[in-house]
C-alpha cells in the first residue's frame, strides 16, 4: 500500500522519496558527536543529544560504549577500531537504537592534539529521527525472521521467529533466546513487539516478551506469577500485574 503520511510542508513520503538526493540530504537531520582518543564524548549537536542522552545523566565525558548494552558494545567498538586502523580512516554500518535504524559513520581525526573520532548518524530510509509512528496502513509487515548478531563484524544472521522462546530487553536492543542458543538482536523490544504475531507473543513484563508456544509452566509464588520457559536453562520470567489477565487468558490458567 502506498504511504500517504505527510512531512513538514505537506509533502508525502512518496513525493519526498522522489525528490533529488541532494534535496533530501539537506532535509535529513544528522547527529554528530566528537570523541576523544579514549572514545569519550567531547561535543554533540542537538540531534545527537536527543538520541543519546539518558534521563539526567551527563553526556559530555561519557564513554560512547557505555551508552549501549554490553551485548552491543562489540559492534560499536568494531566500528571505531575499523576507522582507527583503516587506510581511509573511516568506517560505517547500520545500527539500531530506540529511535529506529540509523546509518552510522565514523571518521578518524588526525589534526587534533590527541586524535579522536567524529561520528555522524542519520535515519535509515525516508523517516527522520524522532518522527512519530506511521499510520496503520503504513506499518511494517509481520516478522518471519529475526535478525541476530554473533561475534564482531557487520554480519547479520537470521533465525525463524517461531523458534524464539523469549526476548529480553537489553537497553536499545534485545536478547533472543531459543531452545538451543542465546543471541543479541540489534532491535529494541519496543520495535519488535508490533511486528510479532500477538496470537503467539505476549509482553509479560517491561523487559520480557514470551512465545506462548514455548511456555512450559505457569507458576504462582509469593503472590506473583512466573512463567517457566522451554529454553535450555528453563528460564523463569516474571509476569507484571498488568499482564496477568492477558497471560491467564492466553494460557487458560
Amino acid at each position: 500500500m502506498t504511504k500517504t503520511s505527510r512531512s513538514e510542508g505537506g509533502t508525502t513520503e512518496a513525493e519526498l522519496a522522489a525528490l533529488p538526493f541532494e534535496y533530501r540530504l539537506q532535509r535529513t537531520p544528522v547527529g554528530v558527536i566528537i570523541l576523544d582518543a579514549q572514545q569519550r564524548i567531547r561535543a554533540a549537536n542537538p540531534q545527537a543529544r536527543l538520541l543519546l542522552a539518558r534521563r539526567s545523566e551527563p553526556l559530555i565525558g561519557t564513554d560512547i560504549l557505555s551508552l549501549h548494552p554490553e551485548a552491543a558494545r562489540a559492534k560499536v567498538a568494531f566500528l571505531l577500531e575499523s576507522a582507527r586502523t583503516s587506510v581511509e580512516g573511516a568506517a560505517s554500518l547500520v545500527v539500531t537504537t530506540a529511535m529506529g535504524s540509523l546509518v552510522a559513520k565514523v571518521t578518524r581525526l588526525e589534526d587534533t592534539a590527541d586524535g579522536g573520532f567524529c561520528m555522524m548518524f542519520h535515519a535509515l530510509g525516508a523517516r527522520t529521527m524522532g518522527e512519530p509512528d506511521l499510520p496503520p496502513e503504513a506499518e511494517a509487515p509481520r516478522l518471519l525472521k529475526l535478525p541476530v548478531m554473533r561475534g564482531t563484524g557487520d554480519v547479520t544472521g537470521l533465525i525463524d521467529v517461531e523458534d524464539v522462546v523469549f526476548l529480553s530487553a537489553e537497553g536499545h536492543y534485545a536478547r533472543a533466546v531459543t531452545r538451543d542458543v542465546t543471541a543479541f538482536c540489534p532491535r529494541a523490544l519496543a520495535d519488535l513487539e508490533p511486528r510479532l504475531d500477538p496470537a503467539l507473543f505476549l509482553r509479560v513484563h517491561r523487559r520480557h516478551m514470551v512465545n506462548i508456544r514455548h511456555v512450559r509452566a505457569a507458576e504462582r509464588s509469593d503472590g506473583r506469577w512466573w512463567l517457566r520457559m522451554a529454553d535450555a536453562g528453563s528460564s523463569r520470567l516474571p509476569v507484571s500485574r498488568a499482564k496477568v489477565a492477558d497471560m491467564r487468558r492466553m494460557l487458560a490458567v
Side-chain angles (χ1 to χ4, degrees):
M1 182 175 295
T2 302
K3 296 180 181 179
T4 58
S5 59
R6 294 186 174 274
S7 59
E8 183 180 355
T11 304
T12 66
E13 289 188 6
E15 292 169 343
L16 182 61
L19 292 172
F21 172 76
E22 292 80 3
Y23 178 79
R24 286 185 283 121
L25 183 62
Q26 290 177 1
R27 291 174 59 91
T28 301
V30 177
V32 180
I33 58 176
I34 302 298
L35 305 174
D36 62 19
Q38 288 71 47
Q39 303 175 7
R40 296 182 300 240
I41 298 175
R42 294 170 49 191
N45 75 339
Q47 286 293 336
R49 287 180 176 275
L50 176 66
L51 181 68
L52 298 175
R54 300 186 301 183
R55 301 182 295 278
S56 59
E57 297 176 11
L59 189 63
I60 304 304
T62 300
D63 186 328
I64 187 65
L65 297 185
S66 71
L67 297 177
H68 298 267
E70 187 173 355
R73 292 174 188 173
K75 189 173 184 180
V76 179
F78 173 80
L79 178 64
L80 291 166
E81 181 64 14
S82 296
R84 187 185 70 81
T85 59
S86 69
V87 176
E88 298 83 4
S92 61
L93 51 73
V94 175
V95 296
T96 301
T97 74
M99 301 290 284
S101 296
L102 306 175
V103 176
K105 183 169 185 177
V106 175
T107 301
R108 182 176 69 237
L109 301 178
E110 298 181 339
D111 294 331
T112 60
D114 60 349
F117 306 90
C118 174
M119 177 180 286
M120 298 175 288
F121 42 85
H122 62 81
L124 182 64
R127 299 180 68 190
T128 58
M129 291 182 290
E131 188 178 36
D133 292 337
L134 296 174
E137 64 269 18
E139 289 180 355
R142 296 280 184 222
L143 285 176
L144 298 179
K145 296 282 187 176
L146 190 75
V148 295
M149 305 294 298
R150 294 176 186 164
T152 60
D154 194 20
V155 178
T156 302
L158 296 169
I159 60 177
D160 291 331
V161 166
E162 63 185 24
D163 292 337
V164 175
V165 174
F166 67 91
L167 294 158
S168 292
E170 295 282 353
H172 295 333
Y173 306 87
R175 176 167 50 91
V177 179
T178 72
R179 286 180 178 269
D180 305 311
V181 300
T182 296
F184 159 68
C185 175
R187 302 288 306 203
L189 202 57
D191 291 338
L192 295 172
E193 184 175 4
R195 298 193 61 187
L196 295 171
D197 187 349
L200 297 178
F201 285 86
L202 176 65
R203 184 82 170 262
V204 296
H205 186 273
R206 64 182 179 84
R207 291 196 61 244
H208 306 293
M209 180 181 297
V210 304
N211 185 338
I212 295 298
R213 287 181 173 174
H214 296 295
V215 177
R216 281 181 175 164
E219 307 171 359
R220 192 174 187 181
S221 63
D222 299 325
R224 295 197 62 180
W225 282 91
W226 304 78
L227 295 180
R228 185 71 66 176
M229 304 306 298
D231 58 307
S234 296
S235 298
R236 187 172 183 252
L237 304 181
V239 180
S240 65
R241 288 183 172 84
K243 294 296 184 177
V244 167
D246 291 337
M247 179 275 294
R248 296 189 67 178
R249 183 174 61 253
M250 292 186 73
L251 295 176
V253 296

